[in-house]
Amino acid sequence: AEFISIQAFPALLDLPQDVEVSAVSCGSRHTAVVTRGGELYTWGWGKYGQLGHRDNSSSDQARRVEHLVAEGLRAEEVVCGPWTTYVRVLE
């Protein structure tokens, strides 16, 4: 079974050094951020695919959603629900 840590206190994000966050949203057990460059990073519990990595894996580390990059889509806003993630994108 996968273990995902739950922290009740602030923690530093491990994102690439040149990334600036412009938006953040938290679901019940996952988090997503949009960068000023239009990338989406997600982490946490992914049982229902809410992390957007085309699988149901969970991750304690922020991972870029590669599907948006591959499709040439720029993330503008993100809203997380309990087990969902909604992203407004521009082509």
Side-chain angles (χ1 to χ4, degrees):
E2 293 182 59
F3 174 78
I4 298 298
S5 64
I6 297 174
Q7 295 178 291
F9 52 87
L12 293 175
L13 280 179
D14 188 17
L15 294 173
Q17 191 170 12
D18 59 339
V19 168
E20 292 182 39
V21 173
S22 62
V24 63
S25 184
C26 298
S28 294
R29 297 178 182 167
H30 72 293
T31 305
V33 298
V34 174
T35 69
R36 292 199 192 281
E39 295 176 320
L40 178 68
Y41 286 82
T42 61
W43 65 98
W45 192 51
K47 182 176 181 178
Y48 300 108
Q50 65 268 40
L51 299 182
H53 300 293
R54 295 183 164 220
D55 59 25
N56 293 349
S57 66
S58 298
S59 175
D60 274 337
Q61 300 295 316
R63 292 172 46 204
R64 184 171 75 171
V65 178
E66 298 298 336
H67 176 72
L68 298 181
V69 176
E71 294 294 321
L73 300 173
R74 177 185 169 89
E76 292 289 310
E77 292 182 68
V78 64
V79 176
C80 295
W83 299 288
T84 57
T85 304
Y86 301 95
V87 184
R88 183 172 66 85
V89 298
L90 294 176
E91 291 185 3

